[in-house]
Amino acid sequence: MPVKTYWLEHAWLGTHVEPGVALEVAEDGRIAALRTGVDAPPPGAEVLRGLTLPGLANAHSHAFHRALRGTVQVGSGTFWTWRDFMYKVAQNLTPDSYFALARAVYAEMALAGITNVGEFHYVHHAPGGAAYADPNAMGEALIEAAAAAGIRITLLDTAYLSAGFGEAPNQHQLRFSDGTAEAWAERVSALKPREHALIGAAIHSVRAVPAAQLATVARWAEERQAPLHVHLSEQTAENDACQAAHGRTPTQLLSDHGVLGPRTTGVHNTHLTDTDIALLGGSTTGTCMCPTTERDLADGIGPATRLQQAGSPLSLGSDSHAVIDLLEEARAMELNERLRSRTRGHWTANALLAAATADGHAALGRPEAGRLEAGALADFTTVALDSVRTAGPVARLGAETAVFAATASDIRHTVVGGRHVVRDGAHTLVPDVPSALAAAIAALRA
């Protein structure tokens, strides 16, 4: 017997919008049944007005970067000057302050319809590099923060061992480094998954993990069948340095050391050669595009269409959290490509929503999420179709309306495991998310 029934006024079912859908949730927090053609709410059903989508997957997050919003917009600069300010914020984090900030950030994500986050986590130790009494205190803070905010997390524990090719970590990076990939693997092996949290791995970048140690990280992920993510060719400077050090591109270096494959996701994949694209697509290595960060940092526009055509699945992330809005990420991927190519229609709204849902969850190790169908996790979100942005189009164009008109402000409900986390635009676990964000960020300035 279902423990709860939701009646969806309209539901996106992957290929089309269906009116009048009854969704039954089982005791295990999965969808027990989905019935279409239900014109009126069944007795006792909870009514969700608007367009219900599978929960959105934020496949790339650095939670503490949320403290940079606004501040790093003063004046001009480059990625590298932005990075200097980021280091200053990272230095002030403690397990307690990181929990408070991440809880608020993940609550903001829930308000934006995100039910699962991939946290690319590299602030492991105390300033100066000394381990906490619990060497995973910072990662545990993030896992608990996600629980407190009511969303799922894949903690992508990140190997970050050097400042550059052959360079020791600088003073800011000491707290990121475990010294060696073997020491990283020993520490991360103590982290345990739980119902809302999976443990994955990440290579920060080819400049931050020596080539001889890349295989250690890849092997750890392979043995556990865990997701493996890596920042890849985000900056041309990294490409140039890799060529100087190894005589090959970052993608070729990763391929040579067994990092690429279907459980691996390259984040950004911006500055690639034809050979790089063929290597990524041929190995079905995923691509996580983060358009709002890539444009904020003036990184460039990655070849997403060519990557997907070559066989690389696409997912989306909010990365530095210049904004937290997966609908905007989906829209920006298409609109960026329009600006570059001066043609329209590279992806349908259905394809963009797939990147924001099913493909994003798969990149985070949860292929059972991201679909409204029996057996899937009962994680979903509802977009208002009657706001000033979304009013007007007919309901059957709900996917187009969501992608090309709606914003995070139009999220009305978010449900995780069959339970409301956001109801009528209000978070049920964090009563005042703006105040929580303001307090957590102010504490890092003290």
Side-chain angles (χ1 to χ4, degrees):
M1 292 290 291
V3 295
K4 192 165 193 176
T5 299
Y6 288 92
W7 182 77
L8 318 179
E9 184 181 29
H10 303 281
W12 178 70
L13 300 184
T15 58
H16 67 287
V17 172
E18 184 77 24
V21 174
L23 185 154
E24 298 176 354
V25 180
E27 289 186 8
D28 62 359
R30 292 177 179 261
I31 298 173
L34 200 74
R35 293 182 287 116
T36 59
V38 183
D39 296 334
E46 184 142 6
V47 175
L48 302 184
R49 299 282 179 188
L51 175 68
T52 297
L53 312 169
L56 305 177
N58 188 351
H60 189 66
S61 162
H62 302 291
F64 77 92
H65 289 189
R66 175 62 178 80
L68 306 177
R69 188 183 295 177
T71 306
V72 290
Q73 311 305 330
V74 177
S76 61
T78 66
F79 168 85
W80 307 103
T81 57
W82 172 92
R83 189 177 71 158
D84 289 340
F85 192 86
M86 177 271 288
Y87 284 154
K88 294 177 183 177
V89 172
Q91 286 298 100
N92 291 332
L93 291 170
T94 67
D96 288 343
S97 67
Y98 208 3
F99 169 83
L101 176 60
R103 171 179 173 266
V105 173
Y106 296 155
E108 181 181 358
M109 290 185 192
L111 289 171
I114 294 163
T115 59
N116 190 17
V117 60
E119 184 61 39
F120 200 103
H121 165 56
Y122 55 82
V123 187
H124 302 305
H125 308 298
Y132 289 105
D134 174 0
N136 286 305
M138 295 294 271
E140 291 289 351
L142 292 165
I143 290 170
E144 293 307 312
I151 69 171
R152 304 184 196 273
I153 185 172
T154 297
L155 187 74
L156 298 162
D157 195 287
T158 305
Y160 193 138
L161 308 174
S162 65
F165 299 94
E167 297 180 32
N170 65 34
Q171 62 175 344
H172 300 296
Q173 296 164 341
L174 288 172
R175 72 181 308 190
F176 307 161
S177 178
D178 291 292
T180 67
E182 289 77 12
W184 166 85
E186 181 179 358
R187 177 184 56 74
V188 73
S189 294
L191 285 164
K192 302 302 179 187
R194 50 220 79 170
E195 183 179 358
H196 81 288
L198 301 179
I199 309 301
I203 293 165
H204 180 273
S205 55
V206 294
R207 71 175 186 273
V209 177
Q213 300 185 57
L214 292 169
T216 300
V217 184
R219 186 166 53 250
W220 185 95
E222 175 66 27
E223 289 172 353
R224 291 158 180 79
Q225 295 292 288
L228 174 60
H229 289 214
V230 54
H231 290 133
L232 182 56
S233 288
E234 181 179 5
Q235 297 290 327
T236 56
E238 178 182 282
N239 287 2
D240 294 342
C242 189
Q243 284 282 1
H246 296 289
R248 64 204 69 191
T249 67
T251 300
Q252 291 170 320
L253 187 67
L254 294 175
S255 179
D256 290 346
H257 290 275
V259 175
L260 304 185
R263 285 179 296 95
T264 299
T265 297
V267 181
H268 302 302
N269 293 359
T270 305
H271 303 286
L272 303 177
T273 66
D274 291 346
T275 299
D276 293 339
I277 292 171
L279 284 170
L280 293 168
S283 60
T284 61
T285 298
T287 295
C288 180
M289 303 297 291
C290 305
T292 65
T293 291
E294 289 149 7
R295 71 191 185 196
D296 181 59
L297 296 178
D299 286 341
I301 301 171
T305 52
R306 294 182 62 203
L307 282 161
Q308 188 173 51
Q309 289 164 2
S312 178
L314 300 180
S315 56
L316 297 166
S318 62
D319 192 2
S320 69
H321 311 315
V323 298
I324 293 177
D325 188 339
L326 261 288
L327 298 175
E328 172 62 18
E329 303 292 348
R331 174 164 56 247
M333 188 163 69
E334 166 67 23
L335 297 187
N336 283 353
E337 195 63 32
R338 292 182 185 185
L339 285 173
R340 178 168 60 181
S341 67
R342 291 183 291 173
T343 60
R344 304 177 77 210
H346 301 277
W347 293 278
T348 64
N350 288 335
L352 293 167
L353 285 177
T357 57
D359 293 339
H361 290 289
L364 297 179
R366 289 196 185 271
E368 72 276 25
R371 296 175 178 83
L372 298 181
E373 61 184 38
L377 292 174
D379 298 355
F380 43 91
T381 188
T382 304
V383 181
L385 295 180
D386 57 358
S387 76
V388 293
R389 288 164 293 277
T390 61
V394 295
R396 65 179 175 81
L397 297 178
E400 288 77 9
T401 303
V403 170
F404 292 106
T407 72
S409 297
D410 296 309
I411 298 298
R412 184 170 282 163
H413 307 287
T414 301
V415 174
V416 180
R419 295 175 295 182
H420 258 97
V421 175
V422 173
R423 187 189 299 273
D424 295 321
H427 203 286
T428 62
L429 301 175
V430 184
D432 187 344
V433 178
S435 292
L437 285 163
I441 293 168
L444 296 178
R445 301 194 195 106

